[in-house]
Amino acid sequence: MIKEFLLPDLGEGLTESEIVSWHVAVGDIVTLNQVIADVETAKAVVELPSPYAGRVAQLHEQAGTVVEVGAPIVSFEVAGTDTGNGGDAGGRAGASGATAEGTAPAMFSPEEPQKRTPNLVGYGAVPERTGRPARRRWLTDGQAQAPAAAASAPAPAPASPNAGAAEPDVVAESSVSPTAERPRSTPPVRKLARDLGIDLADISGTGPHGLIVRSDVTRAAEENAADVADVLGDATQPNVGARLLPPSSADPGPAPGVGTSGVREERVPIAGMRKHTAAAMVASAFTAPHVTVFLTVDVTESMELLARLRGQKTFEGVKLTPLTLAAKAVCLALQRHPSLNSRWDEAARDIVQYRYVNLGIAAATPRGLMVPNIKDAQALGLRELAAALGTLAQTARAGKTTPADLSGGTFSISNVGVFGIDAGTPILNPGEAGILALGAVRQQPWVHDGALAVRQVMTLSLSFDHRLVDGEQGARFLSDVGAVLEEPAMALALM
């Protein structure tokens, strides 16, 4: 029996998504909730699990295709009889995973209770096998290296007449074995990998029989951190003028020089994250009347405080940067100036003032600009805030930021100082009343205690929605943030 899987609405109210890559090919055996594809929405790349267990009969769309919600993307050949749900991805019909010999086990009897398994697209199909599942057998090194005859055997032809329409090159390019196992690890290690944005398939386990252990995951996270520029890095810049930075990871690569032979221009489709970012920026710029104010502050005491805190055992394992202190200062200042932590609801003719802070951090990723946010940042201490910033950065770099992480922000920070930039006029994240840009920390001549001295100086740039925030309110908020960064002890006065 053939079951079609329709592209679901991934919970964001979007009308289309792009298939980034397939994890399966025609003829592969899949299990319930096995990840079959990476799908890019306007906000993030998410893993799409299979609502059925059975054999892949047809891939209706190729990788790179933009598909409308509700359109069929893959067909499965499943065991059993039709229950009347047709191609509904939330139907109760489905087949269990195949055995080692490739045969389907017995189905549930109608009288047996069937428990539905939650997944990304609803409750999916019901596992149609009872009894205790067989234990996974650890492979010896010799067995792991020897190709299995069953794995290399060609899959039988699909039963559906439509299955023959599947593109043959998709099958030929597939290197997925029908009986391939997912990387072996324990649940705590898998959770750690998810939190750090690490793909276990890219890790070689050092535990018994190739088991992936905690140290393998942390080592991979450290290697990733070394390979990618840290968007939460120290914004301290020497006074050497402009400096050459590596190109953005979001750019496709260096373009040929002017006057060279070959193609003189290239057209790139407007899709995915770039399409969403463009729409959001245009909507924000032409809906909210932007006002930007600037303040240059002496942050020498803040830099000295960070140096002292880095040497304390309490802050071992977390990265402390000017952004950490600025994030804390913003949370404190928002309590005194709630107009900066509000939203203009045109439809309801209301101004929504938040009693919590979901602090967005603008992050430059290979997919483009993203603004994930830290939920209830106002409730976090300095160490917890630093740890949350580190996790946010690692997840964004790995492309594992979820739609939930990108939704619900109330105020944002953009740390342009890591690129050597002093100031700017940031555009508001849609639905937010304010965004603060942090400039580079530079050594400059400054009047300190009535005398000229070399001090560490930073420029703050605050953009706000003038419908929600008066000039006085914006100025007082920025003054409070600057006061904390100039003299960290002032944070006690704002608590």
Side-chain angles (χ1 to χ4, degrees):
M1 180 177 62
I2 297 298
K3 287 286 186 178
E4 285 187 343
F5 179 29
L6 311 183
L7 179 66
D9 179 353
L10 300 176
E12 304 170 76
L14 302 175
T15 59
E16 62 183 22
S17 298
E18 178 181 345
I19 299 177
V20 177
S21 62
W22 285 105
H23 291 259
V24 296
V26 174
D28 285 354
I29 298 296
V30 298
T31 57
L32 183 69
N33 289 339
Q34 176 182 332
V35 176
I36 58 174
D38 290 330
V39 179
E40 182 179 30
T41 69
K43 294 183 178 181
V45 173
V46 297
E47 295 179 336
L48 196 63
S50 171
Y52 301 110
R55 189 184 303 276
V56 177
Q58 181 180 359
L59 299 180
H60 295 277
E61 302 291 348
Q62 296 181 351
T65 304
V66 177
V67 184
E68 293 186 358
V69 171
I73 56 174
V74 58
S75 294
F76 298 96
E77 181 183 350
V78 300
T81 57
D82 195 348
T83 60
N85 288 315
D88 183 5
R92 300 183 61 87
S96 66
T99 63
E101 292 77 22
T103 59
M107 307 289 292
F108 276 117
S109 66
E111 294 77 19
E112 290 177 332
Q114 302 183 24
K115 184 178 180 180
R116 306 186 76 186
T117 305
N119 58 30
L120 178 65
V121 294
Y123 278 84
V126 177
E128 305 202 3
R129 178 165 58 91
T130 56
R132 185 175 181 178
R135 295 185 60 184
R136 175 175 294 170
R137 180 171 58 89
W138 295 111
L139 300 178
T140 64
D141 293 339
Q143 290 173 318
Q145 296 173 359
S152 60
S160 170
N162 294 331
E167 290 77 7
D169 57 338
V170 177
V171 183
E173 293 173 2
S174 173
S175 59
V176 181
S177 170
T179 56
E181 289 188 339
R182 66 179 178 179
R184 294 188 290 274
S185 60
T186 60
V189 172
R190 289 196 291 271
K191 182 180 184 303
L192 176 64
R194 286 196 302 269
D195 293 342
L196 296 180
I198 299 300
D199 188 351
L200 292 179
D202 298 333
I203 301 178
S204 298
T206 59
H209 305 291
L211 181 72
I212 297 175
V213 295
R214 177 177 289 269
S215 59
D216 298 327
V217 175
T218 56
R219 187 183 308 110
E222 292 171 359
E223 292 173 355
N224 283 357
D227 291 340
V228 184
D230 190 351
V231 296
L232 304 184
D234 196 329
T236 307
Q237 303 292 337
N239 274 353
V240 294
R243 60 194 177 100
L244 187 64
L245 294 173
S248 168
S249 57
D251 283 331
V258 177
T260 60
S261 60
V263 178
R264 292 173 60 86
E265 64 181 38
E266 180 184 1
R267 289 181 175 268
V268 179
I270 301 174
M273 179 60 71
R274 177 56 55 194
K275 179 180 179 181
H276 171 72
T277 301
M281 293 299 97
V282 170
S284 177
F286 290 95
T287 301
H290 285 56
V291 175
T292 305
V293 292
F294 305 89
L295 177 65
T296 302
V297 293
D298 177 2
V299 295
T300 304
E301 291 191 21
S302 284
M303 301 305 293
E304 293 172 350
L305 173 63
L306 288 173
R308 292 195 301 270
L309 293 178
R310 290 179 186 127
Q312 293 189 8
K313 189 174 182 179
T314 304
F315 290 91
E316 285 184 358
V318 297
K319 188 168 187 176
L320 294 172
T321 69
L323 175 59
T324 313
L325 293 182
K328 188 61 181 177
V330 164
C331 290
L332 294 173
L334 287 176
Q335 295 178 7
R336 287 165 51 91
H337 308 282
S339 61
L340 273 295
N341 196 42
S342 61
R343 176 173 61 87
W344 184 276
D345 190 340
E346 183 70 33
R349 297 182 179 273
D350 288 333
I351 294 176
V352 181
Q353 290 193 342
Y354 301 106
R355 302 306 180 192
Y356 57 89
V357 179
N358 287 347
L359 187 61
I361 305 296
T365 74
R367 296 182 57 237
L369 174 66
M370 304 179 76
V371 191
N373 60 80
I374 301 171
K375 309 298 184 186
D376 293 311
Q378 83 288 346
L380 302 179
L382 192 62
R383 191 194 188 288
E384 291 76 20
L385 194 55
L389 288 168
T391 300
L392 178 149
Q394 289 178 331
T395 304
R397 290 192 211 105
K400 300 294 184 180
T401 304
T402 66
D405 295 331
L406 296 166
S407 303
T410 64
F411 189 94
S412 294
I413 297 178
S414 178
N415 190 16
V416 297
V418 295
F419 306 115
I421 304 302
D422 295 320
T425 55
I427 296 180
L428 294 167
N429 205 28
E432 298 179 11
I435 180 172
L436 178 69
L438 306 181
V441 179
R442 300 188 185 276
Q443 291 186 347
Q444 295 183 5
W446 194 263
V447 177
H448 178 66
D449 291 338
L452 193 64
V454 176
R455 305 286 287 180
Q456 298 190 76
V457 176
M458 169 193 281
T459 298
L460 307 175
S461 309
L462 173 70
S463 292
F464 55 85
D465 186 342
H466 216 338
R467 297 176 301 177
L468 293 161
V469 184
D470 295 336
E472 177 196 7
Q473 295 169 311
R476 288 184 182 275
F477 169 83
L478 188 59
S479 179
D480 281 357
V481 174
V484 174
L485 294 178
E486 195 165 82
E487 188 177 350
M490 289 296 297
L492 297 175
L494 300 182
M495 292 181 175

